[in-house]
Amino acid sequence: MQHLWLIPLFPFLGFLINGLFGRKWPNSLVGAVAVGSVVASFAWVVKVLLGVGELEHAYVERYFTWIQSGGVNIGVDLAVDRLTAVMLLVVTGIGSLIHIYATGYMSHEGGFYRFFSYLNLFMFFMLTLVLGANYLLLFVGWEGVGLCSYLLIGFYTLKKSAGDAAKKAFIVNRIGDFGFSLAMFLIMVNFGSLDFGTVMAKVAPLPVEQTMGILTIIALLLFVGATGKSAQVPLYVWLPDAMEGPTPVSALIHAATMVTAGVYMTARSATIFTHAPMAMEVVAVVGVITAVMAATIGMTQFDLKKVFAYSTVSQLGYMFIACGVGAFSAGIYHVVTHAFFKALLFLGAGSVIHALEGEQDMRHMGGLRKKIPITFAVLCCAWVAIAGIPGTSGYFSKDAILLAAHHHHPWMYWVGVITAGMTAFYVSRSMFMTFWGEYRGHHHPHESPAIMWVPLAILAALSLAGGKLFDVPHYLEPLFPMAHEEHDMTLVAIASSAGFIGIGLAYFMYVLSPGIPKSIAATLGPIYKLVYNKYFVDEVYDATVVSPMVAGSRSVLWRVVDAGVIDGIVNGTGTVARGIGSVLRTLQSGQIRSYAAWVTAGSVIVLVALSFLAGGAQ
Amino acid sequence: MPSAVPLSWYLILSAILFCLGIAGFIFRRNIITVFMSIELMLNAVNLSFIAFSYQLRQVDGHIFSFFVMVVAAAEAAVGLAIILTVFKNRATLAIDDVSSMNN
Amino acid sequence: MDAILFLLFATLAVGCGINLVVQTHPISSALSLVGVMGSLAVLYLLLGAEFMAAAQMIVYAGAIMVLFVFVIMLLNAGAETRKARSKLALPLGAAGLFALLAILIFSVQALLPRTDPVRFGAFTGGTAKAIGQKLFTEYLLPFEVTSVLILIAILGAVVLARKEI
């Protein structure tokens, strides 16, 4: 027994302790409990992974039967295989760093204990998600992280925009979860189990579906769930708005861990997907569209966190390209490296925002290179990593994806390369706008405390060296065999040069001749407007889905169904009961002797009835 | 005159006493008398138990009426304590006057 | 002999019962109830329930009724004061009770199987020994539970007597 259940239990205890008692406690104690619980969880993960050995096969611990009904038998089982091991290390490792950072970042905010209890609850659900040995337990974690995401996006309860963004995230995720639920029902009906091992064992011998079949439908429905959680077209709209939450939340939930749950789930269901090539094609194409679309939007935004949010959407698109072309290990590889550098980007952005006392608009930044040198230094590490400069972590994972894409369809490779260039461009743009030039704001920037920059430094080291250090695809080989080992240096060089070109272009446009962006925007006019306004997707959704829904609810569901039918029934019941009561209350005289008389009368009636029955029986 | 009476006479006597108990319960106003009427009803039922016990030649009916007696004792203790308290506070034993339900 | 004894004490019981109901002073009612209980004790003996007859005299007519008389004396309860009530209530109630009595007698007479007359000595299972054996074997748990019940009743009586209601 490795006691896997302890891994999620630590953060849950942290949640309970902080949630119940944290209100009265000093911030330092709350922070210690929160960080301690996650670090304990990380330590236990390491202990477990050392204890279970090579993990050639999944290590499963079965605790008890959760649901038993007819043929349905679902247990509370936790499992560790190499995929889970990678996710566990990422979630608890990055989670610990971000928790430490957050104790510094949130020190001046109200609701400190509330923030950390939510954050610990998130860790609990995220760990349940990756440890669950069946779809239903995964779904529990899946919904739980959605809940925590909702709570943390809306953390600043006094801001209406935060509440709206939280609701948006929750509702958009519902659509995806609906698909996921349908997929689970289909799996249950067709394979009689939700256990990963059982289902995959039953799927494996089935023939690969060349046309639309049950596996394709299941895979597509699972992918609908993934698009919701992992912010893919067309359900990505919630993620940019989710930046209303505190920055550590953006880093932990909306960059490093939760949004990659869709990729994890897809990789977990790899056997189903590989038996449904049509679904794989859909996954890859959606990934490509998302990557390009989000990258273009990212190039035009001025809000620092929004740029990184669209960058996250775009990078998640990359991961789905990898899954779609069958390179699941490359996708997970990118999950890991992306967790390093995107968490770093967000935390660094948080450090900038912290230094500027809440300023997020890059037009009011500039020249911060000298003022906050440590933040600048660590952000540079993230910058080169996401731009895919050779040797950094982003370079390895992005190349793995692009090579797999080239093997699948060359056009995907080329689109991916262009997107990589755009990625390098928008990150460089935000770096140049923030750190170069003259300071355009009116605050007094100050460097963040050590408790914030030490985690940043660790993440910076990981961003630079993490790709080489953790050879994830090799580690995952027992699960996802690498079909092709072609390492075409030309393709790699092209992809890397795209990064350099993006950086160079940004340097030219934003440092050397700062007037160019404006003139380009003016020249492109309508197209720029279209991209700047995020392709008007929110407006389209509002007009086609939200407004009709609200209008219909108001005129039909409220006025007719609720006020007319439901209230009518309720009030009618009340009226009838009152009428009967007004008759019967005369019996309730309060005179004990009249009650006794009624009891006697009743027993006379019963006796008469019994006598007749007995007389009839004789 | 027969030298013995049928069992049904005992049961009829029990019924008569029971009805007298009810009559006392309904027509009397004094709480203590009402309470005694209840005791009368319990006695009537005890008689039935013992009569049936005789008929079945089993002692179980005796045990039943024994328990009835025990409960009656407990009831008398609590009931009389209540009557004492009520009288202390209201200075009346009329059952209609102590009711606080008919307002 | 059995019949004479039965008729004598049955008449006494019914007479005392009626007296209980019609007397307005509670002390008269209480003494009537003692009479009923005493008569019933004799009838129990006729039915072979010697232990129950003794218990009836000692516990009921003795202990419980003394408690009643004690309370009546303590409260110095006087005769009931008549109140103007609905004139219909008494005849109506009386009629209803007679109906109940009639039905009970009818069901006893018509529905119960015919049996042999009751003879004194035909059933001798009601001795203290027999009841003791039953109580401490088959009915041990209920018997023990009654002790708890009585304890609660004592506590309740003490609490109630101290409390203001």
Side-chain angles (χ1 to χ4, degrees), chain B residues 15-94:
Chain B
I16 292 170
L17 289 177
F18 191 79
C19 287
L20 281 171
I22 295 176
F25 188 91
I26 293 178
F27 296 129
R28 296 256 62 97
R29 289 194 190 80
N30 190 308
I31 300 180
I32 300 179
T33 318
V34 167
F35 207 18
M36 287 191 287
S37 305
I38 295 171
E39 298 293 335
L40 183 58
M41 284 191 265
L42 289 172
N43 267 289
V45 173
N46 273 356
L47 179 61
S48 291
F49 272 129
I50 288 173
F52 284 124
S53 194
Y54 168 86
Q55 182 59 40
L56 297 171
R57 304 291 195 269
Q58 282 179 352
V59 81
D60 298 68
H62 295 187
I63 308 281
F64 255 94
S65 51
F66 177 79
F67 283 129
V68 169
M69 214 178 270
V70 171
V71 172
E75 180 208 342
V78 177
L80 288 172
I82 292 173
I83 289 172
L84 268 177
T85 320
V86 166
F87 187 77
K88 250 195 310 197
N89 290 306
R90 309 238 179 165
T92 177
L93 286 175

Side-chain angles (χ1 to χ4, degrees), chain A residues 381 384-397 463-468:
Chain A
C381 301
V384 291
I386 193 173
I389 302 303
T392 60
S393 61
Y395 161 81
F396 289 104
S397 56
S463 298
L464 289 180
K468 195 82 190 152

Side-chain angles (χ1 to χ4, degrees), chain A residues 8 12 66 76-78 91 118 120-150 170 173-174 177 180 184 196 229 253 257-262 264-265:
Chain A
F12 190 70
W66 177 18
V76 174
D77 308 327
L78 300 183
V91 171
Y118 290 165
N120 274 352
L121 184 65
F122 167 78
M123 292 300 291
F124 164 71
F125 280 122
M126 191 68 207
L127 291 168
T128 311
L129 193 160
V130 294
L131 277 170
N134 55 51
Y135 277 102
L136 203 62
L137 209 53
L138 189 153
F139 192 65
V140 169
W142 186 272
E143 291 296 306
V145 291
L147 167 72
C148 298
S149 164
Y150 164 82
F170 206 75
N173 266 303
R174 287 279 77 64
D177 297 343
F180 193 0
M184 283 199 295
F196 292 134
K229 191 63 69 190
I253 302 185
T257 52
M258 184 189 85
V259 289
T260 60
Y264 166 76
M265 192 263 280

Side-chain angles (χ1 to χ4, degrees), chain A residues 122-319:
Chain A
F122 167 78
M123 292 300 291
F124 164 71
F125 280 122
M126 191 68 207
L127 291 168
T128 311
L129 193 160
V130 294
L131 277 170
N134 55 51
Y135 277 102
L136 203 62
L137 209 53
L138 189 153
F139 192 65
V140 169
W142 186 272
E143 291 296 306
V145 291
L147 167 72
C148 298
S149 164
Y150 164 82
L151 291 171
L152 285 164
I153 294 170
F155 179 74
Y156 297 119
T157 43
L158 296 179
K159 265 166 76 184
K160 187 179 184 307
S161 58
D164 289 344
K167 279 186 278 184
K168 187 173 177 182
F170 206 75
I171 292 167
V172 172
N173 266 303
R174 287 279 77 64
I175 302 170
D177 297 343
F178 182 61
F180 193 0
S181 316
L182 290 181
M184 283 199 295
F185 296 149
L186 278 178
I187 291 171
M188 195 70 223
V189 168
N190 284 289
F191 304 113
S193 172
L194 287 175
D195 197 75
F196 292 134
T198 319
V199 173
M200 298 314 159
K202 284 187 179 170
V203 172
L206 295 178
V208 173
E209 284 178 354
Q210 295 306 333
T211 53
M212 197 78 169
I214 189 69
L215 286 175
T216 312
I217 295 171
I218 291 174
L220 285 174
L221 287 171
L222 283 176
F223 182 60
V224 170
T227 52
K229 191 63 69 190
S230 292
Q232 296 298 293
V233 169
L235 299 179
Y236 71 95
V237 287
W238 65 271
L239 186 55
D241 286 20
M243 298 304 134
E244 290 289 346
T247 308
V249 172
S250 308
L252 178 62
I253 302 185
H254 305 120
T257 52
M258 184 189 85
V259 289
T260 60
V263 184
Y264 166 76
M265 192 263 280
T266 311
R268 179 56 76 208
S269 318
T271 318
I272 297 177
F273 277 90
T274 47
H275 280 73
M278 273 176 67
M280 296 275 277
E281 208 61 41
V282 172
V283 173
V285 171
V286 168
V288 170
I289 294 172
T290 309
V292 175
M293 191 166 165
T296 50
I297 299 174
M299 291 195 297
T300 59
Q301 298 301 306
F302 288 109
D303 185 317
L304 188 58
K305 282 179 72 182
K306 279 271 162 72
V307 173
F308 294 154
Y310 280 105
S311 164
T312 305
V313 176
S314 174
Q315 298 300 313
L316 288 166
Y318 266 106
M319 298 170 201

Side-chain angles (χ1 to χ4, degrees), chain C residues 49-105:
Chain C
E50 49 183 78
F51 175 79
M52 288 312 296
Q56 173 87 355
M57 285 312 291
I58 297 167
V59 177
Y60 245 133
I64 296 179
M65 286 321 294
V66 165
L67 191 60
F68 269 90
V69 173
F70 177 75
V71 170
I72 293 166
M73 296 293 193
L74 181 72
L75 298 183
N76 199 15
E80 252 175 47
T81 46
R82 288 232 162 262
K83 256 192 185 174
R85 299 287 298 184
S86 166
K87 289 208 167 60
L88 212 57
L90 186 67
L92 208 64
L97 280 174
F98 275 113
L100 175 63
L101 186 59
I103 289 164
L104 283 172
I105 292 174

